[in-house]
Amino acid sequence: MAENEKQSLKDKVFESQVWRSIFRHGYADTHRNRVLQVAGNVFLHLHPTKTRRHALRIRFTWCAGGVTFLLFLVTVVTGVILMFYYRPTGEHAYIDIKMLEFDVPFGMVIRNMHRWAAHAMVIAVWVHMFRVFMTGSYKPPREFNWVIGVILLVLTLLLSFTGYLLPWDQLAIWAVTVGTNMARATPLLGHEGPFYELVGVNARYDARSFLIAGQVVGPPALLRFYVLHCIFIPIAASVLMIVHFWRVRKDGGISGPM
Amino acid sequence: MPIIKPVNPDGTDPSQATWSRRDFFALTGWAGFLGGISAGLLAFGRFMFPRVLFEPATAFKAGFPVEYSSGEVSERWIKAQRTWIIRDGKGFCAIEAKCTHLGCTPRWFKDANKFKCPCHGSGFKGFAEGMDSVTVGINFEGPAPRPLERIKVALAEDGQLLIDKGPRFRFEKDEWGKPGSFLKVG
């Protein structure tokens, strides 16, 4: 009796005109349909249509690349949420972080998720690189994907560095002062670097003042780092990640034990 | 159906010409595209260097010489101007509080008689009553590769000290004796 009622309720929902107008026909759970579902979906098609047994061995891959990507997604989501309150100006930046921490409900959780996910992402990306190196997965035909990976590592570090300035406290300002002072020594483009006189750069017009919009780390530098942190580097990293994942598939899938 | 070969109005074969119309348009297209991108990149490079910077002026008036006593490191302008003013028996010199390692602000420790950078521990020689100011700011510990830089000190028309952070005097270039690096006051 109860079974019958359940069945009639199911029919009422799935055979209703509304449901049928949206879904048209049922889904046949066949191997072919499963493959088509992955291959035909814009997000899922990056997955392999078939997975080799070794690719699931966590002791071989450590899933470090996947963890890195997951942490990237965490920073993207929490970062966008933080952008609802944070204003990248000299007057507001510091007080907005304070407000996020102490006055906004769940603000401290979101801010710290962003911060810790960023730290963890840097660690995970190194672990991923270490694993790929130790398993020889950089060897042909995967050399070019290693190169893309190295660029992604640099972009990860730059994301951390540009995010470091945004709290606009003493630690941030001085860390970025120290960090960007190294840009003075850029060959050709830094006014204290080798061959700077060939290009004719000086303290006012060189690689460092390009980065921080002047000669001191002030509000223009904050705005510039904010744009780099929220727009430029994430887009560049996303594009390269797409290529990186695609190449994993095209170069023969996740490398396995010899 | 016979194949009709294209012929130029003067009777020549267009496939033998060095440049076909298609080559010309393709090259023009590419030149326009790459030229546009290059012009855009150059403009962006210039765009990132504004004509005006809203940064503190490099020169400032630091009060009258009588306001400074001989034999001490004055921290009067350290917060506002990042500058130490030092008076010895012969006159004035001014040191910018900017570590020569990576640009942090060192602190003045009177008891230890040295300037010490909080970032990576660089130490620079200090100054005390009865000393000559020629050794002040020379690096002696930590990663700093060279002494602190001195900046221009002069007298303004109204008799105040005029400090200018534009011209700088480096010890390792033997510039500490140069005019402007030291202001003699009788």
Side-chain angles (χ1 to χ4, degrees):
Chain A
M1 190 65 188
E3 274 300 306
N4 279 346
E5 269 174 26
K6 218 188 262 177
Q7 188 59 38
S8 76
L9 187 68
K10 204 177 157 194
D11 288 348
K12 253 185 200 159
V13 174
F14 294 122
E15 301 299 323
S16 70
Q17 194 183 355
V18 173
W19 187 273
R20 295 300 296 251
S21 73
I22 298 171
F23 295 104
R24 288 179 185 280
H25 56 77
Y27 172 72
D29 189 6
T30 62
H31 284 300
R32 181 183 146 79
N33 270 347
R34 287 181 170 209
V35 169
L36 286 177
Q37 210 181 20
V38 171
N41 182 292
V42 66
F43 297 108
L44 295 180
H45 83 278
L46 280 168
H47 283 289
T49 44
K50 82 183 170 194
T51 306
R52 295 204 187 121
R53 194 172 287 274
H54 68 73
L56 297 175
R57 275 182 53 195
I58 196 85
R59 282 166 66 186
F60 184 77
T61 64
W62 300 351
C63 197
V67 168
T68 307
F69 182 55
L70 175 70
L71 290 166
F72 177 75
L73 292 180
V74 171
T75 53
V76 168
V77 172
T78 54
V80 170
I81 294 172
L82 291 173
M83 286 170 82
F84 283 113
Y85 281 99
Y86 179 80
R87 290 166 289 179
T89 63
E91 306 94 295
H92 298 121
Y94 180 74
I95 202 72
D96 284 354
I97 297 280
K98 284 269 220 200
M99 181 166 164
L100 271 163
E101 290 245 325
F102 300 111
D103 298 331
V104 177
F106 300 107
M108 194 184 275
V109 177
I110 296 292
R111 197 220 155 180
N112 280 306
M113 275 176 75
H114 192 74
R115 186 180 144 80
W116 288 107
H119 283 308
M121 186 180 162
V122 171
I123 296 168
V125 90
W126 283 115
V127 172
H128 177 51
M129 193 186 204
F130 180 69
R131 191 285 291 179
V132 167
F133 181 77
M134 295 309 283
T135 57
S137 305
Y138 56 87
K139 290 176 182 171
R142 299 189 174 86
E143 323 95 294
F144 186 64
N145 224 12
W146 171 272
V147 174
I148 295 172
V150 170
I151 301 171
L152 280 169
L153 167 72
V154 173
L155 289 178
T156 305
L157 298 179
L158 285 177
L159 276 169
S160 274
F161 183 64
T162 50
Y164 202 178
L165 182 63
L166 305 186
W168 205 233
D169 54 7
Q170 287 293 317
L171 180 70
I173 291 169
W174 289 107
V176 170
T177 298
V178 166
T180 55
N181 266 336
M182 287 189 250
R184 291 165 181 247
T186 313
L188 297 169
L189 298 179
H191 73 280
E192 289 173 5
F195 316 116
Y196 76 96
E197 62 279 354
L198 295 179
V199 183
V201 295
N202 54 41
R204 174 77 168 76
Y205 297 98
D206 79 335
R208 181 173 193 260
S209 62
F210 180 86
L211 278 176
I212 64 172
Q215 300 184 48
V216 294
V217 177
L222 177 64
L223 182 58
R224 222 162 254 208
F225 271 47
Y226 178 76
V227 174
L228 287 175
H229 185 78
C230 301
I231 309 286
F232 185 81
I233 307 176
I235 289 178
S238 300
V239 170
L240 286 175
M241 269 183 245
I242 291 168
V243 179
H244 197 64
F245 301 161
W246 179 73
R247 282 302 290 242
V248 170
R249 305 292 162 242
K250 295 294 164 185
D251 293 343
I254 291 172
S255 71
M258 295 293 193
Chain B
M1 205 162 139
I3 297 166
I4 303 167
K5 277 191 160 183
V7 180
N8 281 338
D10 59 0
T12 53
D13 180 2
S15 67
Q16 297 302 310
T18 331
W19 284 74
S20 68
R21 186 196 300 251
R22 176 173 293 188
D23 287 340
F24 173 75
F25 278 117
L27 199 76
T28 312
W30 276 109
F33 175 70
L34 294 176
I37 295 276
S38 313
L41 282 177
L42 281 174
F44 175 73
R46 187 62 191 89
F47 173 83
M48 295 300 269
F49 294 99
R51 292 197 186 88
V52 181
L53 295 182
F54 296 93
E55 292 180 351
T58 55
F60 66 99
K61 285 184 178 174
F64 293 95
V66 289
E67 295 166 21
Y68 295 87
S69 53
S70 179
E72 73 169 17
V73 175
S74 169
E75 296 219 275
R76 180 170 159 191
W77 297 100
I78 199 72
K79 274 254 160 74
Q81 297 289 346
R82 222 181 163 182
T83 301
W84 288 297
I85 294 177
I86 289 169
R87 181 175 192 171
D88 67 6
K90 294 176 205 145
F92 288 89
C93 68
I95 297 178
E96 192 187 27
K98 188 174 176 182
C99 182
T100 52
H101 178 222
L102 285 169
C104 297
T105 306
R107 294 178 62 199
W108 164 236
F109 291 97
K110 196 175 179 189
D111 296 336
N113 195 26
K114 66 180 176 185
F115 303 92
K116 193 80 182 154
C117 182
C119 287
H120 306 94
S122 296
F124 305 89
K125 285 184 185 168
F127 178 69
E129 182 79 56
M131 277 175 70
D132 195 300
S133 65
V134 288
T135 60
V136 181
I138 291 180
N139 54 312
F140 68 95
E141 63 182 359
R146 54 194 177 82
L148 293 171
E149 290 180 10
R150 297 198 177 180
I151 52 185
K152 189 179 171 189
V153 50
L155 276 182
E157 283 176 7
D158 59 2
Q160 292 194 59
L161 288 174
L162 184 66
I163 311 289
D164 189 350
K165 285 183 276 188
R168 25 196 79 240
F169 303 94
R170 294 183 173 195
F171 174 81
E172 74 279 7
K173 289 189 178 171
D174 208 18
E175 292 173 338
W176 277 10
K178 276 194 166 178
S181 64
F182 193 82
L183 176 68
K184 280 192 177 152
V185 175

